[in-house]
């Protein structure tokens, strides 16, 4: 067991979460789940930024996390709107169907 | 006390994150992701980042995940409509994720100063009072720009969600 929580524990946790997010983006074909895994990766980075902001006693990291959350909210709104439009045209959310630019 | 809370929250976060990736039903993925977000919010509280704790719950667990659930409901997706990747592709994808974690852990090993970084949890930088002061002085311009970003995102979402006249005829 750990006696004191240090930044290295947060690094390990954030790395694990980030890798799980990357694996999800690679493994899953449902575009909604892929977007959710991107959110997971963003959260892993946020966690690390807060940990280092606490470590350095500097509030810049926490404000960056706030701005990341703002951008993530806008990204999800637009991304899901695009997904709904894609679903209307293809009747599926399978990312492997989205290769129309090839032709 | 706090190492126990940290370990509990970390295990909950990792297990539910795994569940997000491996759940067959997308609705279960969304619910597992909400659990992950709550445990990450708990970790913020552990670091005394109270403002981010509240924002995480309101914005992520509240707004963003509700948006995901709404879209899942609109599209009526479930486990049996879920597209599956071939096993060969799954193995390759897991292997590349494993390689990525190898790269990250190599970076951690190389970093020799590790171990003496304590994360102090009794400090005032995470409080709303302090962050608000910094946000509206040093970071005022990025704050205003992000409001423009939100406006653009809103207009874009409405524009994309609207049916075009040609589509509604067919």
């Amino acid at each position: 067991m750990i006696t004191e929580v240090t930044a290295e524990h947060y690094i390990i946790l954030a790395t694990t979460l980030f890798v799980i997010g990357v694996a999800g983006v690679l493994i899953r074909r449902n575009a909604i789940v892929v977007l959710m895994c991107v959110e997971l990766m963003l959260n892993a980075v946020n966690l690390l930024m807060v940990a280092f902001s606490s470590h350095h006693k500097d509030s810049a990291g926490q404000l960056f996390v706030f701005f990341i959350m703002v951008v993530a909210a806008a990204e999800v709104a637009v991304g899901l709107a695009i997904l709904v439009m894609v679903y209307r045209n293809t009747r599926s959310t399978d990312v492997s169907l989205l290769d129309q630019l090839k032709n | 006390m706090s190492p126990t809370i940290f370990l509990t929250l970390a295990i909950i976060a990792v297990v539910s994150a795994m569940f997000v990736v491996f759940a067959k039903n997308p609705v279960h993925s969304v619910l597992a992701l909400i659990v992950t977000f709550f445990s990450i919010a708990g970790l913020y509280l552990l670091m005394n980042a109270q403002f981010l704790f509240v924002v995480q719950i309101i914005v992520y667990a509240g707004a963003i995940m509700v948006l995901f659930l709404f879209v899942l409901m609109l599209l009526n997706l479930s486990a049996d409509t879920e597209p599956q990747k071939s096993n060969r592709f799954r193995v390759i994808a897991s292997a590349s994720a494993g390689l990525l974690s190898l790269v990250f852990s190599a970076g951690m090993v190389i970093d020799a100063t590790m171990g003496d970084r304590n994360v102090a949890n009794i400090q005032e930088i995470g409080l709303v009072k302090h962050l608000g002061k910094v946000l509206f002085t040093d970071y005022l311009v990025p704050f205003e720009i992000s409001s423009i970003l939100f406006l653009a995102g809103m207009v874009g979402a409405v524009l994309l969600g609207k049916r075009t006249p040609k589509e509604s005829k067919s």
Side-chain angles (χ1 to χ4, degrees):
Chain A
M1 289 293 274
I2 50 179
T3 51
E4 196 194 2
V5 184
T6 59
E8 94 182 87
H9 298 117
Y10 282 102
I11 297 174
I12 294 167
L13 175 63
T15 309
T16 316
L17 288 176
F18 190 88
V19 170
I20 291 171
V22 171
V25 169
L26 292 172
I27 290 172
R28 297 303 293 264
R29 270 168 77 174
N30 189 339
I32 294 177
V33 182
V34 170
L35 260 183
M36 275 159 47
C37 290
V38 172
E39 292 301 313
L40 192 63
M41 283 150 73
L42 282 172
N43 264 275
V45 174
N46 282 353
L47 183 65
L48 198 59
M49 288 242 255
V50 175
F52 274 109
S53 137
S54 270
H55 168 60
H56 288 291
K57 299 181 177 54
D58 185 353
S59 57
Q62 301 202 2
L63 281 164
F64 279 7
V65 170
F66 175 70
F67 285 119
I68 290 176
M69 283 176 177
V70 167
V71 173
E75 170 239 319
V76 164
V78 175
L80 287 175
I82 290 173
L83 257 180
V84 171
M85 203 183 65
V86 165
Y87 184 80
R88 249 187 234 147
N89 289 327
T90 63
R91 291 282 135 204
S92 165
T93 53
D94 192 341
V95 283
S96 60
L97 292 176
L98 304 178
D99 53 0
Q100 301 296 310
L101 279 178
K102 271 188 193 165
N103 306 325
Chain B
M1 184 62 184
S2 98
T4 323
I5 301 172
F6 172 81
L7 273 182
T8 318
L9 288 172
I11 290 167
I12 293 172
V14 170
V15 169
S16 51
M18 301 275 266
F19 198 76
V20 173
V21 177
F22 293 115
K24 287 271 186 296
N25 194 331
V27 178
H28 294 166
S29 292
V30 173
L31 296 177
L33 196 57
I34 292 174
V35 175
T36 313
F37 285 165
F38 267 107
S39 51
I40 289 175
L43 288 170
Y44 288 163
L45 202 58
L46 205 63
M47 288 183 276
N48 212 20
Q50 298 175 9
F51 173 66
L52 287 176
F53 165 74
V54 174
V55 171
Q56 170 87 6
I57 286 178
I58 293 175
V59 173
Y60 267 113
I64 292 183
M65 296 329 283
V66 167
L67 215 60
F68 271 108
L69 275 177
F70 259 114
V71 170
L72 280 178
M73 189 193 73
L74 265 175
L75 305 187
N76 201 14
L77 295 177
S78 61
D80 31 289
T81 56
E82 180 68 11
Q84 291 297 326
K85 270 186 177 166
S86 65
N87 272 334
R88 194 171 60 98
F89 198 93
R90 275 162 181 264
V91 170
I92 296 171
S94 312
S96 19
L99 281 175
L100 184 69
S101 69
L102 205 69
V103 171
F104 282 145
S105 30
M108 276 189 260
V109 170
I110 290 168
D111 187 1
T113 60
M114 268 179 59
D116 55 346
R117 292 171 176 156
N118 62 318
V119 178
N121 57 347
I122 306 301
Q123 49 191 348
E124 299 204 322
I125 62 164
L127 303 186
V128 181
K129 191 180 168 190
H130 179 259
L131 279 184
K133 218 175 265 172
V134 181
L135 188 62
F136 288 113
T137 50
D138 297 348
Y139 290 86
L140 186 63
V141 178
F143 183 76
E144 296 295 340
I145 290 173
S146 66
S147 70
I148 296 173
L149 177 79
F150 256 129
L151 191 67
M154 206 168 73
V155 172
V158 170
L159 210 69
L160 285 167
K162 211 173 63 177
R163 271 175 203 278
T164 53
K166 199 183 80 186
E167 224 184 327
S168 51
K169 257 181 235 163
S170 57

